[in-house]
Amino acid sequence: MELDTKLVHAGYEITAASGDVVPPLHLATTFEQRAQDDLRYFYGRGENPTREALERCLAALENAAHALVFSSGQAAGATALSLLRPGQRVVASDDVYGGTFSLFKTLTKYDIRVDYVDLTDLAAVTEAMADDVAMVWLETPTNPLLKVADIGALAELARRYEALLLVDNTFASPVLQQPLAHGADITLYSTTKFIAGHSDVIGGALVYNDDSLHGEFFGYRTAAGNIPGPLDCFLTHRGLKTLSLRVERQTRTAQHIVELLRGSPKVGAVHYPGLEEHPQRHVVERQMSGPGSIVTFEYLGDVQAMMNRCVLFACAVSLGSVRSLVECPALMTHRPIPEQDRLRLGITNNIVRLSLGIEDPHDLAKDLTDAL
Ligand SMILES: *Cc1c(COP(=O)(O)O)cnc(C)c1O
């Protein structure tokens, strides 16, 4: 089955009992055990059929053995980090998502160190690796500057040190990039973004092949209770069906907007994986099936005033929605990162990030032109 068919069909089969053409919303918190021929459902914190339909679909999209969903992307991240033991170390992208940076800070009290490295620089990563590294935490494309790291090369390096490679694939979505196919051990998603796609449900997921990892993650989630509710799973699964259509349209719009930005005297650097001169162009071509719909640029003026002039673009954090969004990372998403670190990474107060929605591209272009 091809990806677009899996988006609609995987994870759920119509049954003779009711004939529902979509996975039913199971709200029950507990399940009558004598009523089951083959005892599978006990208590909703552990097992829920609506949740499992979404998980089977997410696993199928990456041809993975397992997927688990969580109450947020951060809950998925915290569950992945529950694998670590005191004294171990994590090597992470130096421009990780702000929330991930906050999550890493909580590891200090467990004597787990996180070293931040530019993961697009293989020599720097090689230097950071040693036997105490248990996990490499990669985000690609990076946020907000859209640098691209080579998943295959990092997977090989991680394997040499018996470290797990986790790829936060939130920006690309499984439609544009499949980390497990390039050798990653775990794919993480904030399903809040492209996967659910409508800015109306928060969630996260881990996707992986290893059975022993599944035991650990399932055990942790059941114990911690960081599960999404059935309605959240239902909405996420409904959104997921149109992922490919949305990404296709959003990417076309992004390409149009990139041209507009490059022609504007009010715009400095434009960052986009689809550009000919993107620094990791060859990796983009090998690893991604498209450049996506996040565009970052330098605005040569008062960013706050420009964002306030936008009408169709809502000034808000988050991304991957049907609705177009604009944000200033230094003031919003990347605020938890100390200022000197932000500046070293190139995240100045003039950097603006756009997430293109599915509105008419000409309307979006006009809105942005007026605001610029
Ligand atoms: C939003 C986001 C997260 C966190 O996800 P939530 O669903 O908000 O908890 C993690 N990583 C990236 C790259 C994100 O964009």
Side-chain angles (χ1 to χ4, degrees):
M1 221 189 274
E2 298 299 320
L3 190 88
D4 288 3
T5 311
K6 285 183 191 169
L7 285 168
V8 179
H9 288 260
Y12 178 68
E13 270 174 46
I14 296 173
T15 61
S18 62
D20 298 72
V21 299
V22 296
L25 175 55
H26 291 270
L27 294 170
T29 57
T30 190
F31 301 86
E32 161 66 59
Q33 301 192 8
R34 281 174 310 183
Q36 300 179 54
D37 297 334
D38 174 17
L39 196 59
R40 283 199 54 208
Y41 297 102
F42 299 85
Y43 183 55
R45 176 151 41 75
E47 312 79 28
N48 174 285
T50 308
R51 195 160 69 218
E52 289 169 5
L54 169 62
E55 290 171 342
R56 283 192 300 269
C57 186
L58 287 171
L61 296 179
E62 289 193 60
N63 300 311
H66 306 285
L68 282 179
V69 292
F70 298 86
S71 51
S72 66
Q74 290 307 97
T79 302
L81 293 178
S82 74
L83 294 172
L84 300 173
R85 291 191 302 273
Q88 290 186 324
R89 195 152 63 84
V90 178
V91 168
S93 301
D94 58 6
D95 50 1
V96 281
Y97 175 71
T100 305
F101 179 77
S102 303
L103 191 55
F104 284 155
K105 279 205 292 194
T106 68
L107 296 175
T108 321
K109 65 171 176 285
Y110 303 109
D111 190 28
I112 296 164
R113 201 173 93 208
V114 181
D115 287 326
Y116 296 94
V117 181
D118 178 354
L119 296 187
T120 66
D121 179 351
L122 273 182
V125 192
T126 307
E127 203 172 310
M129 293 301 288
D131 289 338
D132 62 346
V133 176
M135 189 180 282
V136 177
W137 186 293
L138 167 66
E139 239 179 85
T140 182
T142 67
N143 179 16
L145 295 176
L146 305 169
K147 292 188 292 185
V148 172
D150 187 335
I151 299 171
L154 290 169
E156 211 179 291
L157 195 55
R159 208 170 307 123
R160 212 180 305 152
Y161 289 90
E162 293 177 27
L164 292 170
L165 175 64
L166 178 148
V167 178
D168 182 337
N169 202 37
T170 300
F171 269 46
S173 91
V175 165
L176 296 181
Q177 179 171 276
Q178 306 229 338
L180 301 186
H182 296 283
D185 298 290
I186 304 166
T187 305
L188 179 148
Y189 292 102
S190 165
T191 58
T192 314
K193 317 294 168 55
F194 285 97
I195 287 180
H198 293 70
S199 301
D200 56 9
V201 55
I202 290 196
L206 296 175
V207 184
Y208 45 89
N209 284 310
D210 190 273
D211 293 340
S212 68
L213 277 182
H214 187 60
E216 298 244 14
F217 291 153
F218 185 78
Y220 183 87
R221 188 185 68 173
T222 305
N226 52 359
I227 47 159
L231 181 59
D232 288 2
C233 295
F234 180 88
L235 286 172
T236 302
H237 203 159
R238 180 162 79 164
L240 183 55
K241 288 170 189 166
T242 55
L243 177 65
S244 184
L245 282 175
R246 286 185 278 114
V247 168
E248 197 180 308
R249 169 61 166 271
Q250 289 164 327
T251 302
R252 234 183 310 133
T253 300
Q255 287 163 332
H256 187 67
I257 295 293
V258 163
E259 286 316 305
L260 181 160
L261 290 169
R262 288 184 2 133
S264 168
K266 299 295 289 180
V267 172
V270 178
H271 305 273
Y272 185 60
L275 290 174
E276 208 58 60
E277 66 271 26
H278 186 280
Q280 293 90 30
R281 180 75 193 148
H282 56 288
V283 185
V284 175
E285 273 165 13
R286 196 168 61 234
Q287 185 170 290
M288 300 180 72
S289 59
S293 56
I294 311 294
V295 178
T296 301
F297 67 96
E298 184 189 8
Y299 181 61
L300 308 174
D302 182 340
V303 169
Q304 195 77 62
M306 184 277 287
M307 294 195 301
N308 288 343
R309 284 192 293 271
C310 289
V311 178
L312 293 176
F313 284 87
C315 175
V317 301
S318 197
L319 55 115
S321 172
V322 290
R323 178 166 187 153
S324 294
L325 302 171
V326 59
E327 72 116 0
C328 175
L331 301 177
M332 297 162 71
T333 46
H334 290 61
R335 228 194 156 105
I337 299 174
E339 188 180 8
Q340 73 271 26
D341 292 338
R342 277 203 312 262
L343 293 176
R344 192 172 38 76
L345 295 170
I347 308 170
T348 67
N349 290 355
N350 287 76
I351 292 291
V352 177
R353 189 187 77 190
L354 300 176
S355 171
L356 283 316
I358 60 167
E359 301 95 331
D360 185 286
H362 300 100
D363 284 339
L364 292 175
K366 179 165 189 317
D367 196 45
L368 194 60
T369 304
D370 292 348
L372 290 173

